[in-house]
Amino acid sequence: VISFARGAPAPECLAVELIAACARDAVERDGTTVLSYGPVGGYAPLREWIADRHAVDPKRVLLTNGSLQGVQFLLELLLSHGPALVEAPTYDRPLKQLAWHASDVETMPVDEEGLDVDALDSYLEHGRMPGLVYTIPTFQNPSGRTLSLERRRRLAQHAVDGLLVLEDDPYGLVRYEGEALPSIFELANGTNVIYSSSFSKTISPGLRVGYFVLPEELATRVEEIAVSTYITPALLSQATVMEFIRQGHFEPNLERIRGLLKVRRDAMLAALERELGGRATWSRPEGGYFLWIDLPVDTGALLARAEAMGVTFVRGSDFFYDGGGERSARLAFSFASPSEIDEGISVLSALLRA
Ligand SMILES: Cc1ncc(COP(=O)(O)O)c(C=O)c1O
């Protein structure tokens, strides 16, 4: 199977030998700490490293077993205050969490420049206040789109004025070209912005190390849920990440990952241009794992036919809370090899001609 469905790194992205050595070194350096229960906020040296990067007190950093778990905690806490405002399209798993919570959900459109902040303005002008705005401003899952600087500034201003924003940013460092933009968290000086990221895309998703930078009062409340859920998050994984950083592997490994994924992104863009130029439109992300394609057909039906030919993707409608995306799809270029990408796009093209 050629998978454009999996939001996973290509196997070559995983620095297996280095991570193995770092796991051993972590146990040897700090075994009695990392093999026991510990603070619910996570492994102290890694909390401090993250706190330093975001210029906050380590008390505001909470490490979780992957960042998705922290999203779950936040939804539990915050949605009694008002609806969740999410992008359309957005990452499908938080949508599922919202459905389990039977939460009130409102959606805001996303265009070429990311979240439509005009739509947010008019929502707020009607005197409504959501419990939380969930946004993925950089190389968004699923669209690959990035919120422009002007819109970032406007969203940050809303946060400063009292709107609580969850900025989910696992892909920001996985940039292949172009200038990095400031986070909403930075632009709002941390006021009312919860920043979340993860080492899933920069080191390894199997380690399950995600993190949140929270306002202090909220950090304490999230910790109360976390401690009753798992006592302590997986310290050995966190210490392995810290060892990886301490030994100087983080930046070179990230550069290597960027190289491996850029080749895949380029292969997908080239194959799309060759096979589907003039017949479809797609986003051109400067980083991340995904691109978004709009097609002239129903992508649910196309997916069934593609799977029979050994190619998978995720249909666009999975990323909408209340309908949409029926003629769109998310194509992940992160996992398949460049030659598989080339072949898979040819298969999709042949199916579209048939
Ligand atoms: C936007 C977004 N947020 C969060 C996650 C979850 O990441 P983690 O592996 O840290 O749980 C993903 C994973 O694909 C994602 O795309």
Side-chain angles (χ1 to χ4, degrees):
V1 173
I2 296 176
S3 179
F4 300 145
R6 296 197 69 189
E12 304 92 291
C13 291
L14 303 170
V16 175
E17 303 289 320
L18 278 181
I19 296 171
C22 287
R24 165 165 278 282
D25 292 346
V27 174
E28 282 174 357
R29 180 194 292 272
D30 219 1
T32 54
T33 297
V34 303
L35 297 175
S36 188
Y37 292 117
V40 65
Y43 185 58
L46 186 57
R47 268 178 108 179
E48 280 158 25
W49 183 80
I50 293 166
D52 203 45
R53 273 173 84 96
H54 294 283
V56 297
D57 191 293
K59 282 201 289 265
R60 292 179 56 190
V61 175
L62 184 75
L63 290 158
T64 48
N65 302 311
S67 62
L68 188 62
Q69 187 175 45
V71 174
Q72 171 85 33
F73 294 155
L74 286 168
L75 296 184
E76 274 172 40
L77 263 180
L78 296 170
L79 292 181
S80 51
H81 302 292
L85 215 147
V86 302
E87 297 169 330
T90 191
Y91 182 30
D92 53 340
R93 294 190 200 279
L95 289 182
K96 293 201 174 91
Q97 293 179 354
L98 287 164
W100 296 333
H101 285 281
S103 310
D104 235 355
V105 177
E106 311 263 1
T107 62
M108 290 282 131
V110 168
D111 63 22
E112 295 303 318
E113 287 183 52
L115 174 70
D116 179 349
V117 179
D118 286 339
L120 176 64
D121 286 348
S122 73
Y123 178 93
L124 297 171
E125 273 159 20
H126 284 87
R128 292 172 289 192
M129 186 49 102
L132 179 76
V133 177
Y134 173 64
T135 181
I136 309 160
T138 308
F139 314 136
Q140 195 225 26
N141 180 2
S143 70
R145 293 193 176 116
T146 292
L147 192 67
S148 65
L149 181 58
E150 190 253 345
R151 290 191 186 181
R152 280 171 194 251
R153 291 210 167 103
R154 287 167 61 194
L155 183 55
Q157 187 57 50
H158 281 306
V160 169
D161 293 342
L163 181 73
L164 188 60
V165 175
L166 170 54
E167 176 176 24
D168 189 6
D169 185 28
Y171 301 102
L173 291 177
V174 190
R175 175 178 278 280
Y176 318 130
E177 64 197 19
E179 283 290 304
L181 294 171
S183 64
I184 319 297
F185 181 88
E186 284 162 345
L187 291 170
N189 243 324
T191 311
N192 290 321
V193 181
I194 300 163
Y195 180 85
S196 91
S197 190
S198 167
F199 294 93
S200 289
K201 321 294 168 179
T202 54
I203 302 181
S204 143
L207 287 171
R208 309 305 301 128
V209 182
Y211 72 87
F212 287 75
V213 182
L214 297 145
E216 205 167 314
E217 180 267 341
L218 193 56
T220 312
R221 289 165 63 211
V222 178
E223 283 189 3
E224 279 166 20
I225 302 185
V227 79
S228 299
T229 306
Y230 48 59
I231 310 173
T232 304
L235 295 179
L236 177 53
S237 283
Q238 294 165 18
T240 303
V241 165
M242 189 62 229
E243 202 60 41
F244 199 82
I245 293 167
R246 208 179 253 141
Q247 295 185 15
H249 303 312
F250 187 72
E251 283 301 334
N253 183 61
L254 189 54
E255 208 41 52
R256 194 182 64 84
I257 290 174
R258 289 181 185 129
L260 289 166
L261 295 182
K262 179 179 189 297
V263 171
R264 287 166 167 79
R265 192 270 324 248
D266 290 346
M268 187 169 275
L269 289 177
L272 286 171
E273 200 53 58
R274 186 190 68 222
E275 297 287 340
L276 292 172
R279 289 197 290 153
T281 53
W282 52 87
S283 61
R284 289 174 171 72
E286 293 186 331
Y289 275 23
F290 309 107
L291 63 79
W292 185 254
I293 185 163
D294 295 312
L295 291 159
V297 298
D298 180 285
T299 46
L302 178 68
L303 178 60
R305 290 162 60 221
E307 282 183 338
M309 303 287 289
V311 178
T312 65
F313 58 84
V314 184
R315 56 199 181 146
S317 55
D318 285 10
F319 303 99
F320 287 82
Y321 192 78
D322 46 12
E326 290 78 8
R327 291 178 162 228
S328 306
R330 185 190 77 177
L331 301 181
F333 50 78
S334 56
F335 185 74
S337 69
S339 63
E340 285 171 334
I341 289 173
D342 203 60
E343 190 186 332
I345 297 296
S346 301
V347 169
L348 294 182
S349 167
L351 287 171
L352 284 166
R353 280 185 208 283

